[in-house]
Amino acid sequence: MRDSKLSFEQNRTPSETPDYSSRVRDLLAKMNLREKIGQMTQLDLGMVTDGKGQTITINPQKLQKAVIEYGVGSIFNAHDEALPPAKWHELLSQIYSAAALSRLHIPIVYGIDSIHGANYVRGSTLFPQPLAMAATWNPELVLRAAQITAAETRSVGIPWDFSPVLDIGRQPLWPRLYETYGEDPVLAKTMGVAVVRGYEGRDVAQNTSVAACLKHYIGYSGPTTGQDRTPALIPEITLREYYLPSFQAAVQAGAHTVMVNSSEINGVPGHVNKYLLTDVLRGELGFKGVVVSDWEDIKKLVTVHRVAATEKDATRLAITAGIDISMVPSDYSFADLLYELVQEDAVPVSRIDEAVSRILTLKFQLGLFEAREKPAELADRIGTPESRQVSLQAAHEAITLLKNDGNLLPLRKNMRVLLTGPTSNSLRAENNGWTYTWQGDNAALYP
């Protein structure tokens, strides 16, 4: 591997990190229970919009219900496909304006999966998938790609990126293997740290930075069957020696958020695993940021894992285990049920305050409470020639020759090369998932 010492300021010292604790306490004291639980609720974009694709528009009544009535603190996702910057600006300006009219004017934090570039923004710079980026063995290049991704994501008004995927790629059957930085813990943690530093920069509030989200904590990539969202059997020594190092290094690099494993480890679903979420992540690793669930995973504690008889009980188990934000994402059940649980003393108010304090701290750290330039003013940084050149360099450096049989390399200048196989001219295969659609399955949208 090339020198993994990154030419980038490592971590700010605590004295350089702004202290928002008093502002958080003051704001928390003004909030009622409904508003607090709203902050812990994350909804899909479809919950406040009508239409799909490029015709999507904000529904004012839906937005009013989400932001004013329920006080929802987070919205995320693209609805079906990537949008051009102007459409993102149109949607987000209405969402953020609605939040500014709420009783306490608490801003929305919007999240998106920018996995290999700002892949839900039309015209953005796309990079090779993470597995290919790992194959460059060049953390400086990975850091630069992350900086570009952060700047282009923030340019449309989105400050939170559900990336990097730090699952260790040791189960070749797992269909999301391409999202990992490979099978080696040293390589994976080196690239993970580069990505976190590239995303978050010296100050995550800057208009070129986004909050990183480490996922999927932990063991998600090691399912016994190889199928996605299925159980894993991982001895703790293996979990600690192979799966934990990439998360530990990224936490030490200052990552602000973590997303949880959708499945289960050794019979315990990730979303109720208090040992891993609280004892290990916060106690041992010292993580102080926000823990967010994955898609609908509190509900799945009932329907898939069957560790809770009702969604209400599942909500209690997940929140007391350490979940701060529920990616519900398509109804208001979480907010309603958690309110009932607190009223019944089944979940202590202190746990709610703890989670909301972390969420408010994140919003202050991202600069969301401050007046900022409009995202439309930053659109000229998307898909620049310089950024595309970095992507081309990454594609070149990711090319891997497994064996130099017969001294094939270096190639003679007059040599002809046959590119063959069923995916040799497939844009879908070359771009893969998270490319303008979730599965990257619509090549007609590609540039």
Side-chain angles (χ1 to χ4, degrees), residues 18 40 42 50 79 92 117 191 215 232-233 281 294 297 306 316 330 339 388:
M40 300 171 67
Q42 185 177 69
D50 291 329
H79 202 47
L92 293 175
M191 296 308 188
K215 64 185 195 184
L233 297 174
L281 180 61
D294 206 342
D297 278 336
R306 301 184 184 278
R316 177 185 61 81
S330 303
Y339 184 83
R388 296 184 188 281

Side-chain angles (χ1 to χ4, degrees), residues 18 31 33 77 89 101 160 298 307 314 326 336:
M31 298 174 71
L33 181 58
N77 209 13
H89 298 155
L101 296 176
W160 188 12
I298 291 181
V307 296
S326 172
D336 291 336

Side-chain angles (χ1 to χ4, degrees), residues 169-240:
R170 302 183 72 85
Q171 167 53 288
L173 299 176
W174 192 51
R176 298 183 66 171
L177 185 71
Y178 69 92
E179 295 180 51
T180 75
Y181 291 97
E183 66 182 336
D184 182 76
V186 174
L187 178 61
K189 75 178 183 180
T190 299
M191 296 308 188
V193 167
V195 173
V196 169
R197 292 178 181 161
Y199 284 165
E200 300 205 340
R202 292 176 172 85
D203 180 0
V204 76
Q206 292 179 337
N207 62 23
T208 54
S209 297
V210 293
C213 187
L214 316 179
K215 64 185 195 184
H216 307 79
Y217 180 84
I218 185 174
Y220 185 46
S221 58
T224 303
T225 66
Q227 297 179 23
D228 195 26
R229 287 177 174 257
T230 58
L233 297 174
I234 305 174
E236 181 156 353
I237 189 170
T238 304
L239 196 71
R240 288 180 174 275

Side-chain angles (χ1 to χ4, degrees), residues 420-426 429:
T420 187
T423 63
S424 60
N425 65 344
S426 166

